[in-house]
């Protein structure tokens, strides 16, 4: 009987220990609920399909999976970029029409003559149609009365063309320089001077500007032009009869106003003189007195 009692007590004791162990063991933690777990559970039970769930999400968030601000800012950036490109195009077009288009259509007004090489007190434009017309106008100007010491500037242009530019050295030598005179053009600047210097008489003055570094070419060209320069430039003489005796005259060297000049003389008197002043200008005239005055003017020029 004692054994049965002991056995019962033992079983009670074991049951008590098991209960104690169960009470001391921590309870199992429940998993956290998330949107994804709920959606998965809903889809598993068949209440909604995955497509329905996705469409409901999209209707609640019109910007999709992106940050709602992202679409706003990207649109602003695109608008700013388009506006910037438009401003650049407008600025470029304005610059073109303001500068380049204006230059293409604008012409030099006929009333403005090229700046003279020699400072002049009188300006008289010669407008001509033919070579004879030009020659007659120059000779007519030489016969006019000017104040002693005055320098008269004679810019030239074709008549009847209000907007036509004034002639430069290239056009001048093409019309009046003959073959040898025209050959000088590559060595000369386009600016030149045709005028009259009035001292004891009116004497024509012709000045060409030599290109930088072309002095030797210009000098050689002038020596070659000596063969027919008097006949080519006969308009410089007030009377044709004065030029004819000089046509076959030989040129010779002569120092005038410290310049190595070349002169054509008649009866010991200089009737035609030219020199290359300071390797920059070809000075042509008919009298030594005027030649000296021209050199002095060029020396004082800036």
């Amino acid at each position: 009987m004692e054994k049965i009692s002991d056995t019962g007590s033992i079983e009670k004791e074991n049951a008590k220990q098991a209960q104690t162990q169960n009470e001391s063991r921590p309870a199992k933690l429940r998993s956290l609920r998330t949107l994804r777990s709920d959606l998965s559970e809903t889809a598993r039970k068949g209440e909604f399909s995955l497509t329905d769930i996705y469409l409901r999400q999209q209707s609640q968030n019109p910007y999709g999976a992106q940050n709602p601000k992202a679409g706003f800012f990207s649109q602003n950036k695109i608008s700013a970029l388009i506006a910037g490109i438009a401003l650049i195009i407008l600025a470029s077009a304005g610059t073109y029409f303001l500068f380049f288009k204006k230059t293409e259509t604008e012409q030099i007004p006929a009333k403005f003559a090229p700046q003279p090489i020699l400072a002049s007190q009188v300006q008289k434009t010669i407008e001509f149609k033919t070579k004879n017309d030009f020659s007659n106008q120059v000779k007519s100007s030489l016969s006019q009365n000017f104040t002693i010491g005055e320098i008269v500037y004679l810019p030239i242009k074709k008549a009847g063309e209000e907007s036509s530019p004034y002639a430069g050295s290239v056009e001048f030598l093409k019309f009046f320089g003959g073959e040898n005179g025209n050959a000088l053009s590559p060595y000369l600047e386009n600016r030149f001077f045709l005028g009259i210097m009035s001292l004891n008489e009116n004497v024509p003055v012709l000045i060409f500007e030599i290109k930088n570094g072309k002095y030797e070419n210009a000098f050689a060209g002038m020596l070659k032009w000596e063969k027919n320069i008097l006949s080519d430039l006969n308009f410089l003489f007030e009377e044709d009869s004065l030029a004819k005796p000089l046509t076959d005259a030989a040129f010779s060297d002569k120092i005038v106003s410290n310049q190595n000049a070349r002169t054509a003389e008649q009866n010991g008197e200089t009737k035609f003189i030219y020199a290359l002043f300071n390797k920059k200008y070809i000075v042509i005239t008919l009298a030594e007195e005027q030649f000296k005055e021209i050199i002095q003017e060029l020396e004082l020029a800036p």
Side-chain angles (χ1 to χ4, degrees), residues 75-228:
Q75 290 178 0
N76 279 359
K77 288 180 180 179
I78 293 173
S79 300
L81 180 61
I82 294 173
I85 294 174
L87 287 175
I88 292 173
I89 294 174
L90 289 175
S92 301
T95 302
Y96 172 79
F97 282 102
L98 181 62
F99 294 101
F100 297 100
K101 196 67 177 178
K102 184 178 179 181
T103 302
E104 290 174 1
T105 57
E106 207 173 52
Q107 293 182 344
I108 299 175
K111 61 181 179 180
F112 295 125
Q115 188 71 19
I117 294 175
L118 285 182
S120 56
Q121 292 76 42
V122 180
Q123 177 176 313
K124 180 183 177 183
T125 300
I126 294 180
E127 297 188 27
F128 67 98
K129 294 182 179 180
T130 64
K131 186 174 181 179
N132 288 334
D133 183 25
F134 172 81
S135 179
N136 291 334
Q137 289 195 55
V138 172
K139 291 174 182 179
S140 175
S141 299
L142 286 169
S143 65
Q144 294 181 17
N145 294 324
F146 298 107
T147 304
I148 294 177
E150 278 188 337
I151 297 177
V152 182
Y153 177 35
L154 301 175
I156 64 175
K157 61 178 297 186
K158 285 189 175 182
E161 300 180 18
E162 187 65 23
S163 61
S164 65
Y166 285 83
S169 63
V170 175
E171 293 81 8
F172 179 84
L173 290 173
K174 182 179 179 180
F175 279 113
F176 312 109
E179 181 180 354
N180 292 328
N182 192 29
L184 274 173
S185 298
Y187 316 123
L188 304 178
E189 300 288 354
N190 199 42
R191 187 173 71 139
F192 80 106
F193 180 88
L194 174 64
I196 299 171
M197 176 169 281
S198 179
L199 291 177
N200 58 335
E201 61 178 336
N202 293 337
V203 174
V205 178
L206 186 59
I207 302 175
F208 297 105
E209 186 174 355
I210 304 171
K211 287 183 178 179
N212 187 32
K214 298 298 182 181
Y215 166 76
E216 289 79 7
N217 304 89
F219 182 56
M222 286 299 297
L223 290 176
K224 188 176 181 180
W225 195 14
E226 286 182 0
K227 298 177 181 179
N228 48 17

